[in-house]
Amino acid sequence: MERREEHQHLEFTIDNVEKALHQLYYDPNIENKNMAQKWLMQAQVSPQAWHFSWQLLNGGKVPEIQYFGASALHIKISRYWGDIPAEQYESLKSQLFAQITIFASGSKIVLTRLCVALASLALNMMPDTWPHAVPDMVRVFQTEDGQTDGGARCLALLELLTVLPEEFQTSRLPPYRKGIVRSSLAQECACVFPLLHQLLQQSDSPGFVKQKVLKCFSSWAQLEIPLTDCEELTLAAFSALRDPELFDSAVEALVNTISQPDAQRYVNTVLKLIPQALSLQDQLQQAVQNGDIETSHGICRIVVALGENHSRALLDQVDHWQSFLALVNMIMFCTGIPGHYPVNETTSSLTLTFWYSLQDDIFSFEAEKQAVYLQVYRPVYFQLVDVLLQKAQFPADEEYATWSSDEKEQFRIYRVDISDTLMYVYEMLGAELLSNLYDKLGRLLTSSEQSTSWQHTEALLYGFQSIAETIDVNYSDVVPGLIGLIPRININNVQLADTVMFTIGALAEWLADHPVMISKVLPLVLHALGNPELSVSSVSTLKKICRECKYDLPPYAANIVAVSQEVLLKQIHKTSQCMWLMQALGFLLSVLQVEEILTNLHSLITPYIQQLEKLADETPNPSNKVAIIHILGLLSNLFTTLDISHHDDDHEAAEVKKQPVTQGPNPVVLVLQQVFQLIHKVLSTWLNDAQVVEAVCAIFEKSVKTLLDDFAPMVPQLCEMLGQMYSTIPQASAIDLTRQMVHIFAHEPVHFPPIKSLFLLVTSLTLSLFQQGQFPLRYNKH
């Protein structure tokens, strides 16, 4: 403790700063390092920093110490500009120029920090106090001083000119100053760009100098400088792409220049860039053949930036439609670049947003012009669909088995992006797109050739599923044919089986309107339920069918319940899928006669009730807690959707199909009444456990929400149980359930006494707990 206090009260002298830096870099004790860092941060912002910073830059010091000195100067200038007297500006400027000249031949990290400090000074003084900041910088470093090597001075100047716009982007200038300084800086490109162009064109300029030039141009391009002013350097950057040493820097410069928000105003300059981009096609093809991912990725970034940012302006240039179409085809090549994403290529994903932009831009024109562009670009978009489905194909089984889990996840996300793109493209291609996919799938499945890969079939189905999931395909004339084709698919692979399931699920609403087709696909879904690898797809598809087609499912009900019961008892599925399956059964049972519902409920839940009875007698422990919560969850999810009054049905078509409902007690209420004492027993044993209490409350809360007035017979005993449990140990879930009960039943006189008594008990007890300050934090969310 004494050591810490002693450290905090040390004076900010050069010796103490050097000791603290030594401690920060070399002391193995992490606590000492943290203390030193904290103290050094205070030292940097102290008034004494003006004195020790210059001393730390002395030639004899190690770079780490010099770097701290340069950083302290930058912090003082950028954050505490108001503390510097105006009469000291010139001397500060001269000292920084002098130090940069010295470090031009010294440590590069120190040089950069000094350049950032001078850049900050210039930004604070521009344009009034230092109107010719940038020309002055150029003049100082172009002047021979007899001490510093010319090449080193040139690199120092390039570093200074590079960090100047970067420092502007992160500066803390007030908004009114920011606009003035940006405008002032942008005008200085007249001084900077000729110098950069000259250095780039000089045959004797070393590669590393040209690299710095391109980085400097890239930095200035982000200042929203008119594209016309950047034209000469932009064309030079295109030429630099042919030099492997300059390639990466040239790509960054071009992408930054082309992507400026203001660039689309300069259509004539953009038109000059199209031939430059098209001239890269041979280099792109060569890179793809040689497996040079970096080069193909870089060229793709440039052509996509050009297409994405300027498609509207270029479409407008009717006389140049062929060159723009050539650029579009070049982007198509990038979309379909050979290899599997993300293992053999990472380029194709960059292109997807371009296709959205182009489509939006085409639809933004008036009808007559739009028709012309659709004539040109609809075939392009049909080609795009083929390319995307090719890219969505899984690799060969042996290859896919070698992929890491991260690569598989990236590929899954990539396929989702392709799916979204296909759904968007449907707006342009319409029903013809579905016909196109159906024809291809039909030819594939009816072909006499045995060489068809499952990957090809799966990709076509995936395309269909992508569209059917979000677009209303009820009026499509190809869906009956597709449903007819599905049973012909030789499902010999998990990925293919998954896609078959999800495709059937996406067509659930269509099946509800065409119930005669249910028999063609339901056996496939029930068969898949027994495969744990198809858990998510098969259960979610059955749930969709049971929800959308429930009025047409009574003939299949016995089979669905039997298969579901079997997979539940075999524990094939994980917890969340078991819950979905119970919801599916709830939808299904809702449309049966009450006697049938009760018979099915008895066979379905009796094994769980017996298990729960056994668990209720056991001493609480973590394993039986999991089992209890699982069983209670199954009942909750079943009762969430088992609704014989069909409260949630809002479509008129359902009215025609509804079975007449027998009058009498609701089946859910009958079951709840039978198991009420057992649930009460579980609750009394586990009353201290918030999760079990929550699971018990969920059964009643979901039943109340679904049954509404039909829940009425349960109101008195549930109110009594809620009151008892809340009086013993207050739980948040009990308040939730009380709120639900009050909301639904408080307005009915017959239920008023139990509801009133529960409401008074819960509110008075809650208020007294708050007044005593005893309410545990975990319940405070309400």
Side-chain angles (χ1 to χ4, degrees):
M1 188 66 190
E2 285 176 13
R3 177 78 182 271
R4 184 176 288 136
E5 285 178 7
E6 180 190 325
H7 216 298
Q8 285 174 345
H9 293 107
L10 280 175
E11 285 185 39
F12 298 127
T13 63
I14 185 166
D15 290 342
N16 289 336
V17 169
E18 289 197 47
K19 283 175 190 168
L21 283 166
H22 192 274
Q23 203 170 26
L24 177 66
Y25 287 117
Y26 305 113
D27 194 319
N29 184 317
I30 192 70
E31 194 179 343
N32 289 346
K33 280 180 180 289
N34 290 339
M35 263 192 318
Q37 185 173 29
K38 193 175 175 184
W39 184 86
L40 285 165
M41 286 169 74
Q42 292 169 347
Q44 275 190 319
V45 299
S46 69
Q48 292 89 326
W50 285 118
H51 305 294
F52 65 68
S53 296
W54 300 110
Q55 294 172 295
L56 291 173
L57 290 167
N58 285 346
K61 311 289 184 191
V62 294
E64 292 89 344
I65 288 174
Q66 293 171 330
Y67 180 84
F68 183 80
S71 291
L73 284 170
H74 173 242
I75 286 170
K76 294 298 283 183
I77 294 168
S78 60
R79 295 190 198 169
Y80 302 98
W81 177 252
D83 296 348
I84 306 171
E87 59 270 19
Q88 290 185 16
Y89 292 171
E90 286 303 318
S91 65
L92 188 53
K93 186 203 302 182
S94 303
Q95 284 176 287
L96 283 169
F97 268 128
Q99 289 293 340
I100 290 171
T101 305
I102 292 166
F103 279 93
S105 306
S107 166
K108 294 298 170 226
I109 58 165
V110 181
L111 172 66
T112 299
R113 290 321 291 165
L114 287 168
C115 287
V116 172
L118 182 56
S120 184
L121 181 83
L123 294 172
N124 278 295
M125 292 173 72
M126 289 172 72
D128 301 330
T129 319
W130 192 4
H132 307 296
V134 176
D136 285 353
M137 291 173 185
V138 174
R139 180 180 47 74
V140 167
F141 288 102
Q142 281 188 329
T143 306
E144 294 281 348
D145 63 356
Q147 298 171 2
T148 315
D149 168 63
R153 281 203 320 279
C154 176
L155 285 172
L157 174 59
L158 287 172
E159 184 65 23
L160 181 55
L161 293 175
T162 303
V163 300
L164 186 59
E166 291 170 355
E167 179 65 9
F168 170 78
Q169 307 290 1
T170 58
S171 68
R172 301 182 177 203
L173 293 170
Y176 79 94
R177 284 268 303 139
K178 200 124 188 171
I180 295 167
V181 174
R182 180 194 292 279
S183 172
S184 181
L185 263 183
Q187 288 171 20
E188 299 295 3
C189 71
C191 165
V192 175
F193 284 6
L195 171 69
L196 297 183
H197 190 255
Q198 182 190 342
L199 286 169
L200 214 47
Q201 296 302 309
Q202 276 178 4
S203 56
D204 60 344
S205 286
F208 60 86
V209 169
K210 291 183 177 180
Q211 230 171 33
K212 285 293 295 176
V213 166
L214 289 164
K215 283 179 182 170
C216 185
F217 173 44
S218 182
S219 178
W220 279 77
Q222 293 173 73
L223 288 173
E224 297 178 23
I225 291 166
L227 195 60
T228 44
D229 293 342
C230 301
E231 185 180 311
E232 204 171 33
L233 273 173
T234 305
L235 296 172
F238 267 109
S239 302
L241 290 168
R242 291 182 169 50
D243 184 337
E245 190 181 358
L246 306 181
F247 184 83
D248 290 343
S249 304
V251 168
E252 289 304 323
L254 287 167
V255 170
N256 283 339
T257 307
I258 292 165
S259 305
Q260 283 184 76
D262 205 34
Q264 49 201 284
R265 287 173 47 201
Y266 304 97
V267 181
N268 290 335
T269 302
V270 173
L271 286 170
K272 291 178 188 174
L273 303 183
I274 301 282
Q276 296 293 323
L278 294 175
S279 72
L280 300 172
Q281 285 185 93
D282 289 346
Q283 193 177 352
L284 176 61
Q285 300 266 12
Q286 198 67 47
V288 169
Q289 282 173 20
N290 297 338
D292 180 353
I293 294 176
E294 287 76 17
T295 300
S296 55
H297 194 80
I299 293 174
C300 173
R301 283 182 64 201
I302 294 165
V303 294
V304 168
L306 203 46
E308 212 171 283
N309 290 285
H310 304 286
S311 54
R312 181 66 168 76
L314 290 166
L315 282 167
D316 245 338
Q317 302 301 305
V318 182
D319 294 344
H320 298 273
W321 70 272
Q322 286 173 308
S323 62
F324 181 55
L325 182 59
L327 184 75
V328 171
N329 285 325
M330 193 172 173
I331 295 173
M332 180 78 78
F333 177 82
C334 294
T335 304
I337 207 156
H340 288 287
Y341 182 96
V343 175
N344 317 109
E345 64 92 5
T346 55
T347 295
S348 57
S349 62
L350 300 178
T351 66
L352 298 181
T353 49
F354 164 75
W355 300 107
Y356 286 76
S357 303
L358 179 59
Q359 182 172 309
D360 287 346
D361 289 333
I362 289 171
F363 282 128
S364 72
F365 287 107
E366 69 282 359
E368 196 177 326
K369 210 166 186 182
Q370 198 181 109
V372 174
Y373 285 122
L374 285 173
Q375 208 172 350
V376 174
Y377 285 100
R378 268 174 61 88
V380 173
Y381 273 82
F382 274 114
Q383 185 191 345
L384 174 67
V385 171
D386 291 344
V387 167
L388 290 176
L389 292 178
Q390 174 73 35
K391 293 299 293 182
Q393 284 188 29
F394 280 87
D397 295 336
E398 319 80 64
E399 187 185 339
Y400 191 64
T402 66
W403 285 18
S404 68
S405 57
D406 185 47
E407 286 167 340
K408 288 177 179 176
E409 176 59 11
Q410 283 185 58
F411 181 60
R412 184 194 68 78
I413 294 167
Y414 174 68
R415 277 171 51 100
V416 170
D417 292 340
I418 286 177
S419 173
D420 291 344
T421 310
L422 289 170
M423 181 267 292
Y424 204 75
V425 163
Y426 181 84
E427 189 186 348
M428 180 181 275
L429 303 181
E432 200 180 334
L433 171 55
L434 292 178
S435 304
N436 189 289
L437 293 174
Y438 171 66
D439 291 345
K440 285 189 170 74
L441 189 64
R443 284 198 296 274
L444 206 62
L445 295 176
T446 54
S447 165
S448 54
E449 294 177 26
Q450 298 300 306
S451 59
T452 302
S453 69
W454 69 262
Q455 287 93 338
H456 198 170
T457 306
E458 190 278 336
L460 285 167
L461 265 184
Y462 183 70
F464 221 109
Q465 173 213 324
S466 301
I467 295 158
E469 266 178 345
T470 46
I471 306 291
D472 180 6
V473 294
N474 280 8
Y475 304 105
S476 169
D477 55 358
V478 301
V479 177
L482 175 69
I483 297 280
L485 284 175
I486 284 175
R488 301 184 63 146
I489 296 170
N490 177 23
I491 303 175
N492 54 2
N493 173 279
V494 172
Q495 283 91 3
L496 176 58
D498 254 338
T499 303
V500 168
M501 285 301 110
F502 284 127
T503 304
I504 295 170
L507 296 170
E509 285 186 41
W510 185 91
L511 288 168
D513 289 339
H514 306 81
V516 71
M517 305 299 273
I518 292 172
S519 59
K520 290 193 178 293
V521 291
L522 188 59
L524 290 174
V525 179
L526 295 179
H527 179 70
L529 275 184
N531 185 344
E533 289 186 294
L534 303 177
S535 182
V536 173
S537 59
S538 63
V539 175
S540 68
T541 295
L542 182 63
K543 182 181 163 184
K544 283 181 180 177
I545 290 173
C546 288
R547 185 181 66 221
E548 302 297 337
C549 312
K550 60 187 174 189
Y551 297 109
D552 300 295
L553 291 182
Y556 314 100
N559 196 14
I560 294 172
V561 172
V563 173
S564 301
Q565 212 168 340
E566 185 185 350
V567 299
L568 283 166
L569 292 173
K570 284 183 178 175
Q571 298 182 332
I572 283 173
H573 301 291
K574 290 181 180 174
T575 300
S576 55
Q577 276 71 56
C578 292
M579 303 305 156
W580 294 356
L581 194 48
M582 279 301 203
Q583 288 178 25
L585 294 172
F587 285 124
L588 173 70
L589 297 181
S590 299
V591 297
L592 304 182
Q593 293 295 322
V594 172
E595 303 77 32
E596 287 181 88
I597 295 174
L598 288 169
T599 305
N600 280 298
L601 279 177
H602 179 74
S603 67
L604 187 61
I605 66 178
T606 298
Y608 296 111
I609 300 304
Q610 291 169 348
Q611 196 183 343
L612 194 59
E613 283 170 343
K614 185 167 167 287
L615 291 164
D617 290 327
E618 293 179 8
T619 309
N621 66 62
S623 66
N624 58 24
K625 172 183 169 176
V626 170
I628 287 169
I629 289 174
H630 181 74
I631 292 169
L632 295 174
L634 292 173
L635 295 175
S636 297
N637 281 277
L638 179 63
F639 298 156
T640 299
T641 54
L642 208 172
D643 175 20
I644 62 169
S645 300
H646 311 290
H647 294 102
D648 287 338
D649 286 339
D650 55 7
H651 46 89
E652 293 170 17
E655 293 298 328
V656 182
K657 299 182 176 182
K658 280 184 187 173
Q659 309 263 343
V661 180
T662 309
Q663 293 302 308
N666 189 290
V668 172
V669 173
L670 287 174
V671 171
L672 285 174
Q673 285 172 330
Q674 287 168 16
V675 299
F676 192 83
Q677 290 309 315
L678 173 58
I679 290 174
H680 200 295
K681 185 178 178 182
V682 169
L683 192 59
S684 58
T685 310
W686 288 87
L687 200 52
N688 279 306
D689 192 294
Q691 289 173 299
V692 175
V693 172
E694 192 175 336
V696 168
C697 289
I699 289 180
F700 295 106
E701 191 178 353
K702 289 180 177 180
S703 302
V704 169
K705 276 182 181 174
T706 306
L707 301 180
L708 301 174
D709 294 339
D710 294 349
F711 189 82
M714 294 290 300
V715 170
Q717 61 192 126
L718 181 57
C719 284
E720 187 184 354
M721 185 183 87
L722 261 175
Q724 288 171 359
M725 64 184 269
Y726 198 75
S727 301
T728 314
I729 299 174
Q731 302 270 22
S733 47
I735 298 180
D736 274 340
L737 182 50
T738 301
R739 184 181 58 191
Q740 195 73 39
M741 296 285 285
V742 170
H743 178 65
I744 293 171
F745 296 108
H747 65 285
E748 296 182 26
V750 67
H751 301 305
F752 200 68
I755 293 287
K756 179 185 176 183
S757 132
L758 173 63
F759 181 70
L760 289 174
L761 185 147
V762 169
T763 49
S764 62
L765 187 55
T766 305
L767 285 169
S768 67
L769 284 166
F770 272 123
Q771 284 160 2
Q772 295 162 32
Q774 293 177 1
F775 219 81
L777 277 174
R778 63 181 173 176
Y779 311 127
N780 283 357
K781 66 176 181 176
H782 299 286

